Amino acid sequence: MSDALPPAKDDREDKEFMTTLAKGLAVLGAFGKQRPSMTLSEAAHVAELSRATARRVLRTLNQLGYVEQDGRSFSLSPRILDLGFAYLSTQSWIDRALPLMRELSERFGESCSAAILQGSDIVYVARVPARRIMSAALSVGSRLPALHTALGRALIGYLDEAEIWRRLNARRIEAYTPQTITDIQALFDRIRDDREQGFSIIDEELERGLRALAVPVLDRSGQAVGAINLSTHSTRTTRSEMREHFLPALNRLAAQVSSLTV
């Protein structure tokens, strides 16, 4: 299933809430890297719908061109990219950030990425890879758990306290490495501390050897619209060196992008 947060109870009880649309989006969200294609029964199970409902949804999506059918299997069609590109086209800060990210990546010889917050995950919206750091290849559209990434913590800190707790409780906290913070109170405190200091660092919490530093990109009202990071391997750069060299450069980049963001 998609890792996006479920609609709040008040949303589901809203008389204007379109249950049919929500079911269609649930089916679309069920597809992904682990499930590039599904049968009707599988889609119904993953989206938590009846077979009859899943059949109507898939038939509609197929006729609209967002889903393709091959025998008993269904998969997303290339037309689904229109939805993603439509979103990216409204985020002008990404276009402004990308050339600056390339310069930063070349200067330090490290990967530079930008992401937004979606539920309990971050979603990469721009990436300039340098050396291979993580075992998993990352690209635009890739998702990672927000709580254990510098990008995610830099963004979650801009939510109000109640919403931070909601997202902390929205998914099971998993220990990815011995350094992963799994205590919910400790995670909350780290998120608030990162907001206070204006940046976030993770040190081998998501994957052994991976260190990253991220800063938020703010709009003119002071709200975080995204975050940008530099990531490195623990054998190349210490935490102190990241603060000394990465942080000033990232702050300048974020300030340049933020100054033009509505």
Side-chain angles (χ1 to χ4, degrees):
M1 294 183 65
S2 169
D3 290 322
L5 290 176
K9 184 178 180 181
D10 290 344
D11 293 335
R12 293 193 293 266
E13 293 177 350
D14 188 336
K15 292 181 180 179
E16 295 187 357
F17 182 79
M18 295 182 65
T19 303
T20 302
L21 176 58
K23 291 176 180 177
L25 293 175
V27 171
L28 285 177
F31 292 96
K33 184 177 181 179
Q34 302 301 320
R35 292 181 293 269
S37 65
M38 292 183 290
T39 64
L40 169 61
S41 296
E42 290 169 339
H45 173 72
V46 176
E48 298 181 353
L49 301 173
S50 68
R51 281 177 52 88
T53 299
R55 182 184 298 108
R56 290 195 298 271
V57 168
L58 287 168
R59 182 180 178 85
T60 301
L61 291 172
N62 179 250
Q63 291 186 7
L64 292 174
Y66 292 110
V67 166
E68 297 175 341
Q69 183 175 3
D70 182 10
R72 297 177 61 248
S73 295
F74 295 87
S75 60
L76 297 178
S77 76
R79 188 176 183 184
I80 199 71
L81 293 173
D82 292 345
L83 302 178
F85 286 129
Y87 169 79
L88 291 176
S89 68
T90 67
Q91 303 298 302
S92 57
W93 70 270
I94 300 173
D95 289 335
R96 289 194 291 271
L98 197 51
L100 299 174
M101 290 168 59
R102 291 194 185 100
E103 292 177 10
L104 209 59
S105 177
E106 291 175 4
R107 174 181 166 189
F108 290 107
E110 303 290 0
S111 297
C112 187
S113 305
I116 59 169
L117 184 64
Q118 186 178 79
S120 297
D121 289 340
I122 56 165
V123 180
Y124 283 82
V125 293
R127 180 162 168 77
V128 183
R131 304 167 184 172
R132 181 74 174 270
I133 300 175
M134 295 193 67
S135 59
L138 296 175
S139 59
V140 172
S142 294
R143 306 169 72 96
L144 288 176
L147 297 175
H148 308 299
T149 61
L151 289 162
R153 289 183 191 165
L155 290 167
I156 291 177
Y158 278 80
L159 304 174
D160 62 46
E161 185 172 318
E163 183 61 22
I164 293 174
W165 278 113
R166 179 177 176 234
R167 300 198 187 206
L168 282 169
N169 290 305
R171 65 188 301 166
R172 182 174 62 86
I173 305 299
E174 179 180 351
Y176 295 92
T177 75
Q179 282 69 47
T180 303
I181 300 174
T182 56
D183 181 79
I184 293 181
Q185 182 64 57
L187 273 171
F188 176 83
D189 293 341
R190 177 63 62 84
I191 290 167
R192 299 300 286 181
D193 289 345
D194 287 352
R195 165 67 189 272
E196 183 69 22
Q197 69 183 3
F199 66 92
S200 178
I201 288 181
I202 61 144
D203 189 357
E204 300 188 275
E205 294 182 44
L206 184 64
E207 185 167 311
R208 289 181 182 274
L210 174 66
R211 283 183 179 148
L213 187 151
V215 299
V217 174
L218 308 179
D219 62 18
R220 292 180 182 176
S221 67
Q223 293 302 304
V225 296
I228 299 175
N229 83 347
L230 279 167
S231 52
T232 185
H233 195 276
S234 59
T235 58
R236 287 199 300 271
T237 312
T238 67
R239 292 170 61 101
S240 295
E241 289 170 338
M242 293 174 74
R243 290 189 182 92
E244 182 179 354
H245 302 295
F246 288 7
L247 182 57
L250 278 172
N251 277 335
R252 285 192 294 270
L253 189 158
Q256 285 180 267
V257 176
S258 296
S259 67
L260 301 173
T261 301
V262 177

